[in-house]
Amino acid sequence: MTISARRPGWRRAVVSCVTTAAAMAITASCGGGKPSPDQATRTVTKTPPTVTVTASETSVPTSSPASQSRYLSELEPLTSTQGVDTSAVEINGKGFARSVTLTANAAGPVNSAEYNLGRHWHTFTATVGLRDDSPTGGTLTFEVAIDGTREYRETIRLGESRAVRLDVSDALRLKLTVTYTGHDAGNVYYGSWGDAGLKSSR
């Protein structure tokens, strides 16, 4: 029988190996060290939520913030008897850059223009009078009707002017009219609404 000689310290080597293996097992179980080959690596990509934006309907310039205003010369009239002039004017020596002018004489004594307000404006303002280049001695009658009801009427001579301010709250239609009551068919008289405008605040 052959007896193998064992080197001193072999027990310590075996114990050390066992201890090291146990430590590796504990490290792996706690999440340390490198993952084993059979552990799949997964990449998680977060997809941002989908946001749907719906555009709200915006009405024509009549749907306005409380501070908004608009000149009547920027709007197309629904109807006009003899057309509308939106050039700058002088009334009684004062200039108005954004105006509406209606002409009249004995051949066409009444001229009017009607506008859609859309029930969104609150105030109509203007300075009215004959344009300063109208013939001497001219006189025109200015009228404003709101939804068919006359709310303003004034007869004005050349060289005069009047300030107009009307409540048009919830109004659908605004109609401007100038009338010539003389007999001069050879000259044209210009009835101007200087800086005629709409405001959405009172």
Side-chain angles (χ1 to χ4, degrees):
M1 180 177 66
T2 304
I3 301 175
S4 301
R6 296 178 178 176
R7 291 178 297 173
W10 67 273
R11 292 179 181 274
R12 289 193 298 272
V14 171
V15 172
S16 177
C17 290
V18 171
T19 302
T20 301
M24 291 176 64
I26 293 173
T27 301
S29 65
C30 293
K34 297 181 179 179
S36 58
D38 59 342
Q39 288 180 316
T41 301
R42 295 184 302 167
T43 300
V44 178
T45 302
K46 293 184 177 180
T47 303
T50 301
V51 179
T52 303
V53 179
T54 304
S56 59
E57 295 184 359
T58 304
S59 16
V60 288
T62 49
S63 183
S64 315
S67 60
Q68 186 167 337
S69 61
R70 194 171 182 88
Y71 289 108
L72 210 63
S73 60
E74 299 174 309
L75 305 178
E76 286 293 330
L78 294 174
T79 61
S80 61
T81 308
Q82 302 176 39
V84 174
D85 183 359
T86 57
S87 303
V89 301
E90 285 192 358
I91 303 172
N92 196 19
K94 184 177 180 180
F96 299 91
R98 311 299 295 269
S99 304
V100 171
T101 298
L102 304 175
T103 60
N105 65 359
V110 180
N111 194 355
S112 63
E114 189 171 35
Y115 295 84
N116 178 35
L117 301 188
R119 302 193 188 282
H120 295 287
W121 299 101
H122 294 145
T123 308
F124 169 72
T125 59
T127 298
V128 300
L130 277 78
R131 206 169 73 185
D132 285 355
D133 59 348
S134 294
T136 302
T139 300
L140 293 175
T141 299
F142 294 77
E143 296 180 66
V144 182
I146 300 171
D147 288 337
T149 301
R150 188 174 67 194
E151 299 292 344
Y152 177 85
R153 186 177 188 273
E154 187 80 23
T155 299
I156 304 174
R157 294 179 177 276
L158 177 67
E160 299 177 342
S161 60
R162 301 285 189 276
V164 178
R165 183 182 180 89
L166 297 175
D167 186 352
V168 294
S169 301
D170 200 39
L172 185 63
R173 297 284 188 265
L174 173 72
K175 187 176 182 179
L176 308 180
T177 302
V178 296
T179 303
Y180 174 69
T181 55
H183 304 285
D184 186 357
N187 291 312
V188 175
Y189 298 87
Y190 303 95
S192 296
W193 309 77
D195 286 350
L198 298 165
K199 295 182 180 180
S200 56
S201 59
R202 293 178 179 83

